Amino acid sequence: MSSRGFKIPLSMHWVAVYAFALVSLFGVYLLSFSDIGYFRDDHTPVEGSQNVPVAQPPPAAVPLNPTLNSPNAPSTSTTPAYDSNKGAGDHVETLDPPQPGQVKIVGLVFFGRRDLVRVLDCYLKRNLRINGGLLDEVVFAINTDIKEDLDYLNNELLSFPYYRKFQANEHGYLGQWLAVDERDTIYVKIDDDVVFLEDHTIASVVQPLVDNPSYFAVSANVINNPALSWVHYHLGVFEPYWPEMKKPWSPSPESSWRASELPSYKGPADGPDGFKIDGSTPAPFPGHRWLPVRHKNKDEYEDPTKFPAATLTYDAHGPSLDNWATAAQLHYSFFQHLENNETSLYKFAIWDYHYARISINFIAFRGGDIMDAYPFPHSDDEKFLTVEHSKKLGKHVVVAGDGLAVHYAFRPQRRAHDGHGITDTDILRRYTAYAKELVCPFPKREVKASPLLRTEQKRRRKGPGRGR
Ligand SMILES: *[C@@H]1O[C@H](CO)[C@@H](O)[C@H](O)[C@H]1NC(C)=O
């Protein structure tokens, strides 16, 4: 190189080369804004397995998981090899065996009610692989013939490319299970009234199933799941709340979900006059709130055994399923813990059901295990899968204690007093407000979930106390 500096060659040949390079760079720049995120996502850190704040844009400095940064780890941002646009009711054979290592995970939503699915939709999007989560796609198995709900599915949900529907020929829950048609896929069955998930819930539920062949199914640690509510009661997460019996002068604004914004309960220490804790009292009025007890005399006013949760039993049925008041106390307590970043209070390691019945609101299965169980012998899919079939196989159904999900309500809680039970609270409005504020605007994760791998050197779950 001469002392006069670098000479730019100006022949037409070089002009063409520079122009081409500039155009290419501009193309790469444009792609970095595309929704697919090929470029943007490749350098984002991997999500820690727990305690990542829910839904808020997560902190950038979450430690990387070293096992997942090897060049052999499959990229999670590439388009899946299978056809995600399968049509309604198609039974598509598994054309491509799953790539060695990476587990394909499908969300299976038993679809019915649009006002609930509007909330779940935001969590599902945040859990899609394309957005940094783990779900390759979501299948909505149709369980309704209400036109408005089907219009919402067809016109709003299905316009999203990683969503598809499954229309069973049979009616009821049994037909919906026929959406499971890939042996090597893990299906996460999600009820349409699941109204809250943490970012790592799906990983927490699927990982133990991948690691332990002796598990038949792994449930999330579901809030409002009968027997688990009893567990939660004894973990001490139920807070003192009573219903507001008279319409307030200033109701909570539409966007309010925080328990700290609620006024204090002012009534007697044993609860509002005439209000029974066993759920036999109807809701005071539609849209009513439950108010926190903030009394100086804690012994008298906050004795947990005076509140609806004291009626809970370790049972898939009974008061845990039927009592709308325990469900109300449970949800308002959860809003308080959610606001205070204390969801770890609910967590434990693995809880083994030992062939007892568990409510299947949010539960992961291997596709092959479901396909081998066809045809289900009777219409009680829950009893068949979690009690009879699991016992026959000698494989257990367990709860992953660090995988939280919130289930809005069971039918007896909704139907209590001709609909004047849980649906007369403002709980669903609060979950909707939370999702609108902190989940729906952020479908894409800043911190990508670690891909789940089927390997010989499995990641072992840590011992008891995990997540506390
Ligand atoms: C909970 O976490 C969020 C986000 O990190 C933070 O903004 C908020 O102040 C925390 N709340 C409490 C009560 O610590």
Side-chain angles (χ1 to χ4, degrees), residues 272-353:
D273 289 332
F275 189 83
K276 297 215 179 69
I277 62 171
D278 62 3
S280 63
T281 315
F285 57 92
H288 78 286
R289 311 179 287 192
W290 281 49
L291 305 180
V293 176
R294 300 180 183 119
H295 200 276
K296 269 181 269 166
N297 185 349
K298 285 187 185 293
D299 285 346
E300 197 188 346
Y301 277 79
E302 297 189 13
D303 176 356
T305 66
K306 287 180 174 175
F307 288 83
T311 66
L312 291 165
T313 54
Y314 187 68
D315 184 356
H317 293 109
S320 306
L321 181 75
D322 299 336
N323 186 342
W324 76 270
T326 53
Q329 189 191 352
L330 157 165
H331 285 300
Y332 282 89
S333 301
F334 180 71
F335 288 122
Q336 178 176 327
H337 297 306
L338 186 60
E339 178 180 2
N340 294 337
N341 303 324
E342 299 169 338
T343 58
S344 63
L345 294 172
Y346 291 82
K347 296 179 183 179
F348 44 82
I350 290 285
W351 184 280
D352 197 324
Y353 263 64

Side-chain angles (χ1 to χ4, degrees), residues 58-193:
V62 172
L64 297 175
N65 183 336
T67 60
L68 296 161
N69 290 328
S70 73
N72 297 332
S75 161
T76 53
S77 60
T78 49
T79 309
Y82 57 89
D83 177 8
S84 67
N85 293 315
K86 286 185 263 187
D90 285 354
H91 278 256
V92 177
E93 297 303 316
T94 311
L95 299 175
D96 305 306
Q99 295 172 11
Q102 184 155 359
V103 181
K104 180 177 169 187
I105 307 172
V106 170
L108 174 60
V109 176
F110 280 26
F111 174 85
R113 296 159 286 183
R114 64 190 180 288
D115 53 333
L116 290 156
V117 178
R118 276 185 212 283
V119 179
L120 178 60
D121 172 39
C122 299
Y123 291 95
L124 293 173
K125 293 217 166 100
R126 219 178 136 76
N127 276 289
L128 283 167
R129 208 182 281 280
I130 201 76
N131 284 330
L134 290 173
L135 298 178
D136 290 280
E137 62 172 344
V138 174
V139 179
F140 292 92
I142 297 174
N143 181 33
T144 181
D145 42 24
I146 296 172
K147 183 177 181 302
E148 288 79 6
D149 291 326
L150 291 170
D151 285 349
Y152 168 65
L153 176 67
N154 290 322
N155 302 336
E156 294 184 49
L157 289 177
L158 294 182
S159 58
F160 189 68
Y162 294 86
Y163 284 176
R164 65 183 171 95
K165 71 178 174 186
F166 176 82
Q167 176 80 65
N169 297 324
E170 295 172 43
H171 280 293
Y173 292 132
L174 292 195
Q176 292 173 291
W177 285 103
L178 292 168
V180 174
D181 60 2
E182 294 172 355
R183 300 195 69 84
D184 294 314
T185 294
I186 292 204
Y187 290 84
V188 185
K189 187 263 193 187
I190 305 173
D191 280 353
D192 64 354
D193 56 352

